[in-house]
Amino acid sequence: MSAVAAPRGKPKPEVSEIGGRKLKPSTLMMGHGYDPALSEGSLKPPIFLTSTFVFPNAAAGKRHFEGVTGKRPGGAEGLVYSRFNGPNQEILEDRLAVWEEAEDALAFSSGMSAIATLFLSMVKPGDTIVHSGPLYAATETLIARVLGRFGVHWLDFPAGATREEIDAVLAKAATGRVALIYLESPANPTNVLVDVEAVAASRDAIWTGQNHAGDKPPIAIDNTFLGPLWHQPLKHGADLVIYSLTKYAGGHSDLVAGGLLGSKEQINIVRSMRNTIGTITDPNTAWMLLRSLETLELRMSRAGENAAKVCAWLRDHPKVERVGYLGFLETTAGDERQADIYRRHCTGGGSTFSLYLKGGEREAFAFLDALKIAKLAVSLGGTETLASHPAGMTHLSVPDARKQALGITDNLVRISIGVEDADDLIADMEQALEAI
């Protein structure tokens, strides 16, 4: 006796509002982009461990590749090969876009592969990248040392630059072709904010004039430190937003991935390069990120609350020179420029900050070596508290003169607060400071 399979159900339409109420990202993370009916009723998406996908017929295969190659306008939809896309990656990209109301998103094998793919899709020999400084050390290396070998130039301005300073750099760069304006805010590791609105206004003003070469360059920004909960740059003039999804989005220090959000037009340019060089994330990592996104708001909120308590305690300690915590900008006099950017751009101070100790490398190392709860490790945005020494670790390859100019000093310790008990973390900081 043979059994006849039941007809496969059609996917249910997406629910993004109820009774006129627009659903919040934290709600949409539980099901957006996925219908259990398409996967045997599984509540969670299965992990699709396959390298290739079956076409229903030969004509469908031809139509797909006509879209991929550009012979047919409109691009290609559907699944063909896991270097291009897959169910887990597509669901992940749908959910990443929700947080910043972006038109589209892409997932990558790491934050640096996202950045590298973006650069490769935008630049050609002779072009200039204008960027804020400092950047994550690997990003600076990629721009200056790697792309520089292929005739790509760069100009930069300090992260906290005024509109006038930004105007001067962009006007100088605009005499040649500027392929991309690349920002990182807050800057790694100094925590200095970039005025994204001023950069966008400057770009728009200069590229509507006559003293420039080429089309108006897109603005891309690394939003890893504050996004998506405490900063949403697309609302302030950025065209593309980059994430190391390893950090808060993954949030458990058990995966490496990257993300890119923006308009469909810009995303499709980068998608073509990703399809070519194969920098997409794998399905297992995409699935783990889907798990993590369900608790993103909870984890970031708790870490942010902890950081506010820890930094409030640290700022008055006699062995602390100062604390570079963004939450202090609301109440601390003396840096009105940064406070103004914070009020316009940010909804919270984050959980990663710069701790400047009185002394130098010896004092910083003594503090780091004495920590018992916080782990001595690079990275940030995980459930556990991490501490590192940027000048001697992540930014060691940066020339000494540039480190000094950017404020990456030997007495700087970068701390990323996790979701532990705040009073326990304070006790750990207290005993570590006593060890200096």
Side-chain angles (χ1 to χ4, degrees):
M1 184 177 179
S2 61
V4 178
R8 191 174 185 84
K10 292 183 178 180
K12 295 179 180 179
E14 289 282 356
V15 177
S16 58
E17 64 173 49
I18 294 177
R21 173 185 170 82
K22 187 176 180 180
L23 300 182
K24 301 289 187 180
S26 55
T27 300
L28 293 173
M29 290 307 101
M30 304 306 166
H32 181 72
Y34 172 67
D35 184 354
L38 298 181
S39 295
E40 308 298 336
S42 174
L43 176 65
K44 300 294 183 183
I47 303 175
F48 288 85
L49 296 177
T50 184
S51 60
T52 193
F53 299 87
V54 177
F55 291 114
N57 52 60
K62 180 181 179 181
R63 178 174 174 80
H64 184 93
F65 278 93
E66 285 175 341
V68 169
T69 57
K71 289 187 175 182
R72 177 177 54 79
E77 294 183 353
L79 303 170
V80 58
Y81 191 63
S82 289
R83 193 177 87 238
F84 305 145
N85 57 2
N88 299 108
Q89 294 94 326
E90 289 193 342
I91 298 167
L92 170 63
E93 290 163 356
D94 285 347
R95 294 187 190 176
L96 289 175
V98 163
W99 288 96
E100 298 200 41
E101 298 182 350
E103 288 183 359
D104 209 347
L106 293 173
F108 296 85
S109 56
S110 69
M112 281 310 304
S113 73
I115 294 168
T117 307
L118 169 67
F119 289 169
L120 289 175
S121 68
M122 296 289 176
V123 303
K124 64 180 187 295
D127 287 352
T128 296
I129 295 174
V130 178
H131 68 83
S132 61
L135 301 176
Y136 177 54
T139 309
E140 292 211 4
T141 298
L142 179 60
I143 294 172
R145 299 188 185 182
V146 179
L147 294 178
R149 298 206 314 263
F150 300 94
V152 176
H153 311 292
W154 60 272
L155 288 172
D156 71 334
F157 54 84
T162 63
R163 169 66 189 272
E164 291 73 24
E165 291 170 326
I166 296 166
D167 282 345
V169 174
L170 285 183
K172 180 180 179 181
T175 57
R177 183 179 182 273
V178 177
L180 183 70
I181 300 170
Y182 186 83
L183 312 175
E184 186 178 294
S185 183
N188 183 356
T190 57
N191 244 26
V192 178
L193 293 170
V194 177
D195 191 340
V196 182
E197 292 176 349
V199 173
S202 178
R203 187 268 315 262
D204 293 346
I206 290 171
W207 265 266
T208 54
Q210 300 301 316
N211 297 320
H212 64 83
D215 297 328
K216 182 168 69 174
I219 297 170
I221 180 170
D222 185 334
N223 194 35
T224 298
F225 270 47
L226 289 180
L229 211 61
W230 301 307
H231 188 206
Q232 296 187 341
L234 294 178
K235 297 177 180 177
H236 300 283
D239 302 296
L240 292 161
V241 178
I242 284 180
Y243 284 98
S244 170
L245 299 178
T246 308
K247 313 304 192 291
Y248 292 105
H252 294 78
S253 302
D254 55 6
L255 61 84
V256 174
L260 180 68
L261 317 177
S263 69
K264 287 187 178 294
E265 179 183 4
Q266 296 289 347
I267 289 293
N268 281 337
I269 294 171
V270 184
R271 187 195 310 277
S272 179
M273 179 61 69
R274 188 189 71 172
N275 287 351
T276 300
I277 63 177
T279 48
I280 192 171
T281 191
D282 66 275
N284 185 72
T285 300
W287 184 91
M288 292 175 71
L289 280 160
L290 291 174
R291 167 216 63 182
S292 295
L293 287 177
E294 294 183 1
T295 59
L296 175 62
E297 186 176 63
L298 293 172
R299 288 182 287 102
M300 291 187 75
S301 297
R302 172 61 180 258
E305 293 166 2
N306 281 354
K309 293 177 182 177
V310 171
C311 289
W313 182 86
L314 283 170
R315 73 189 305 185
D316 297 323
H317 196 281
K319 294 184 179 180
V320 171
E321 182 180 291
R322 67 183 177 92
V323 180
Y325 169 60
L326 296 176
F328 290 161
L329 291 172
E330 292 183 299
T331 57
T332 303
D335 201 342
E336 289 305 317
R337 171 68 178 159
Q338 284 288 292
D340 175 58
I341 298 171
Y342 181 80
R343 285 190 291 267
R344 287 186 285 114
H345 288 67
C346 306
T347 57
S351 65
T352 301
F353 61 92
S354 304
L355 175 64
Y356 293 86
L357 299 168
K358 291 180 179 178
E361 182 181 278
R362 186 192 69 80
E363 288 76 12
F365 280 16
F367 172 78
L368 289 167
D369 289 343
L371 291 168
K372 298 182 184 301
I373 296 175
K375 304 296 190 297
L376 179 55
V378 299
S379 199
L380 60 108
T383 50
E384 64 288 297
T385 296
L386 301 177
S388 63
H389 186 254
M393 296 178 184
T394 54
H395 290 70
L396 183 63
S397 62
V398 178
D400 289 342
R402 182 161 175 78
K403 279 194 285 192
Q404 289 300 317
L406 295 172
I408 306 172
T409 53
D410 286 338
N411 67 330
L412 166 60
V413 171
R414 191 185 76 176
I415 298 177
S416 171
I417 296 293
V419 300
E420 305 96 339
D421 180 82
D423 291 333
D424 290 345
L425 292 174
I426 290 171
D428 191 27
M429 303 288 171
E430 183 173 23
Q431 64 84 29
L433 287 168
E434 289 174 356
I436 297 176

